[in-house]
Amino acid sequence: MAEEWANTHGGKLPSTREEKKQFKDLIKSKMITVDEENYKEAMEASFKVFSPQGIGPNLQKIINDSCSEVDSNSSDFWVMVAALKEFIASEGGGESPLEGSIPDMTSSTELYVNLQKTYQAKAEADFLVMEQRVKNLLKKINRDPASISKANIKSFCRNARKLAVCRYRLVEDEFNSPVQPELQKYLTDEDYGTAAGLYILLRAADRFAANYNKFPGQFDGEMDEDISRLKSTAVGLLNDLGCNGSAISEDLINEMCRYGASELHVVAAFVGGVASQEVIKLITRQFIPMSGTFIFNGIDHKSQLLLL
């Protein structure tokens, strides 16, 4: 269908809203009966025909990263990225290696299997090219050409379109020099103000404990004094972070003291579950871990990330 369209439109695929509608109508016009599922699926997936060709901006950013200029100290990942960069520029013709899988669709078994074999054959050919490029790069940087396994290269090829590089600030950097404009913005933002306030108060509570050898509100008889002390501590912390003039809600300060360093098991279980999920992501290097400081507000049942 795409070829037929291109032949009658100067070799171009649909680009405008009207052309895309006309392309769907072209597919529909080929239906013999109204209940042909494969044509319905083709109309639903027609957007894939006129999607931009080539690699996405995220992958482009990765292959242009300075780490893709590899040496003997480069990780296996960046060696494969360097090979991918070469592949895209040459054999791939601007595309990354083919994954080799196709989605379920309405088709005869014979046609589906034949199509699947075609995709798998192209994916295998791309993998072999990538494998050779990886070996060549390893030789070039004086590493064992077999040091990156075939399984790793094949997995890399299958997931090349979905690669992501995550870089994080150290907790120490965030504590000592958070991104002041971002923190200021969060503190004054209607949606993030409470989360930012809790972030400041959690840090203020730690400073409070270091100064007074107890957490705010830990002892009932000292509640009023602790509220005043915590407020002063929070203001001092804000000033240290460059957020002079910013204020924390009195309600949040009172709530932090009323809470009295309690550790509710249901909240601990939830936060522990989130933390373990992120650890699994980091260990397996699958899915994208959260970037930023996770704040769970049990009062409003709300979770937010602060990029500081």
Side-chain angles (χ1 to χ4, degrees), residues 216-282:
Q218 193 168 356
F219 304 110
D220 292 339
E222 302 172 4
M223 184 68 71
D224 291 341
E225 184 180 15
D226 283 357
I227 290 174
S228 177
R229 285 175 170 176
L230 180 60
K231 183 176 181 179
S232 298
T233 304
V235 170
L237 177 61
L238 285 169
N239 291 338
D240 291 346
L241 297 176
C243 296
N244 306 57
S246 297
I248 303 295
S249 163
E250 294 282 348
D251 289 341
L252 283 181
I253 295 172
N254 292 341
E255 182 62 23
M256 183 64 75
C257 290
R258 187 195 68 80
Y259 187 66
S262 302
E263 295 183 359
L264 303 180
H265 52 279
V266 289
V267 176
F270 174 78
V271 174
V274 172
S276 61
Q277 176 178 274
E278 296 307 301
V279 169
I280 290 171
K281 290 179 185 177
L282 290 167

Side-chain angles (χ1 to χ4, degrees), residues 2-143:
E3 186 177 355
E4 181 179 334
W5 173 278
N7 289 338
T8 57
H9 291 79
K12 296 180 180 179
L13 293 173
S15 57
T16 66
R17 181 189 292 269
E18 183 60 29
E19 286 179 342
K20 292 173 183 178
K21 181 179 181 300
Q22 290 173 4
F23 183 71
K24 282 189 176 183
D25 291 340
L26 174 63
I27 298 173
K28 189 175 182 179
S29 69
K30 304 296 182 180
M31 296 175 68
I32 299 174
T33 61
V34 295
D35 59 348
E36 291 184 275
E37 289 298 324
N38 54 342
Y39 278 92
K40 290 180 181 178
E41 290 173 359
M43 284 188 284
E44 290 174 0
S46 62
F47 70 92
K48 295 181 180 179
V49 172
F50 33 78
S51 295
Q53 301 296 304
I55 61 176
N58 289 338
L59 184 54
Q60 186 68 56
K61 185 177 179 181
I62 291 173
I63 65 174
N64 289 339
D65 194 290
S66 59
C67 290
S68 65
E69 301 298 326
V70 294
D71 56 33
S72 58
N73 296 318
S74 297
S75 67
D76 291 354
F77 173 81
W78 286 110
V79 171
M80 289 188 285
V81 167
L84 176 64
K85 185 176 183 178
E86 293 179 356
F87 176 92
I88 291 171
S90 52
E91 295 90 354
E95 299 284 353
S96 58
L98 194 65
E99 293 180 25
S101 60
I102 59 174
D104 290 335
M105 64 183 76
T106 302
S107 171
S108 68
T109 301
E110 181 183 359
L111 290 176
Y112 185 86
V113 170
N114 287 340
L115 182 61
Q116 191 175 51
K117 287 180 178 178
T118 300
Y119 271 74
Q120 289 173 345
K122 178 63 169 68
E124 181 66 18
D126 287 352
F127 156 69
L128 292 174
V129 172
M130 276 287 293
E131 182 186 26
Q132 190 56 52
R133 287 197 170 276
V134 168
K135 287 181 177 180
N136 292 343
L137 282 168
L138 288 170
K139 286 181 184 177
K140 185 178 178 181
I141 60 177
N142 298 316
R143 284 179 54 185

Side-chain angles (χ1 to χ4, degrees), residues 185-202 247-249 251-252 255-256 295-302 304 306:
K185 184 179 73 174
Y186 286 135
L187 287 166
T188 56
D189 187 274
E190 184 177 348
D191 292 330
Y192 282 87
T194 299
L198 289 172
Y199 171 79
I200 293 297
L201 286 174
L202 286 168
I248 303 295
S249 163
D251 289 341
L252 283 181
E255 182 62 23
M256 183 64 75
I295 301 292
F296 172 63
N297 179 355
I299 302 169
D300 297 330
H301 307 288
K302 198 172 185 179
Q304 290 175 297
L306 304 181

Side-chain angles (χ1 to χ4, degrees), residues 207-215 218-219:
R207 183 177 288 192
F208 183 104
N211 291 337
Y212 301 107
N213 296 315
K214 64 168 188 170
F215 283 99
Q218 193 168 356
F219 304 110

